[in-house]
Amino acid sequence: MKRSVATGAKACVSAVALLAASLGLGVATGGPASAATCYGGAVKFTKYIDHSFSEVFTTSSACQDINLKMTYGGGTSREVRVCFYHSNDTLNYCQSSYKVAYVDQWKVIASDVKDNVKYRYQFKTSGSVTAYTAD
């Protein structure tokens, strides 16, 4: 699921930054301020034991990715993927592979996701998880 406008904008910013660097000029790019804006809208959730899925979330315009930060995962890491849903709440598809997320660290689980897309996290194991999602 690509963001063609966002991808084009990133390419434009990269080209401007490259040109500015060759001219010895400084250009501000998406760094800590962008991350702060994205993570600043994070939503806390709990996935309970014996459930593999989180609740349903809808992506916003704050981030271009779906990010997860576990605060409790019954250990130091968990394997997780994102499943995407149609607007009528039926499953569209799940990512083909799981990513490892670590407690107290932000992890991008899905990249370049459009705004207003419904999704859920699917955890490979059924233990409880408390986490933040930023999308």
Side-chain angles (χ1 to χ4, degrees):
M1 303 179 77
K2 297 287 181 189
R3 288 185 181 199
S4 57
V5 173
T7 303
K10 283 182 184 178
C12 182
V13 168
S14 296
V16 169
L18 182 61
L19 176 61
S22 69
L23 296 174
L25 304 172
V27 174
T29 59
S34 297
T37 302
C38 173
Y39 299 149
V43 175
K44 187 175 184 177
F45 70 94
T46 299
K47 183 201 71 72
Y48 296 100
I49 197 164
D50 295 331
H51 293 93
S52 60
F53 286 97
S54 70
E55 62 193 84
V56 176
F57 300 100
T58 302
T59 57
S60 69
S61 60
C63 310
Q64 293 181 4
D65 304 321
I66 295 175
N67 306 275
L68 177 75
K69 181 180 181 181
M70 294 187 306
T71 58
Y72 172 80
T76 58
S77 66
R78 297 290 294 274
E79 290 181 87
V80 61
R81 67 182 179 177
V82 171
C83 294
F84 297 94
Y85 289 79
H86 296 286
S87 58
N88 65 358
D89 295 329
T90 59
L91 179 65
N92 185 1
Y93 72 95
C94 294
Q95 292 175 306
S96 59
S97 60
Y98 288 84
K99 295 186 179 182
V100 178
Y102 294 92
V103 170
D104 294 327
Q105 295 179 22
W106 283 106
K107 175 73 175 183
V108 175
I109 307 300
S111 300
D112 296 322
V113 182
K114 294 180 182 179
D115 296 347
N116 299 312
V117 173
K118 292 183 177 188
Y119 71 94
R120 297 171 95 174
Y121 290 104
Q122 182 180 23
F123 293 83
K124 199 168 191 177
T125 56
S126 63
S128 64
V129 170
T130 301
Y132 287 91
T133 185
D135 53 41

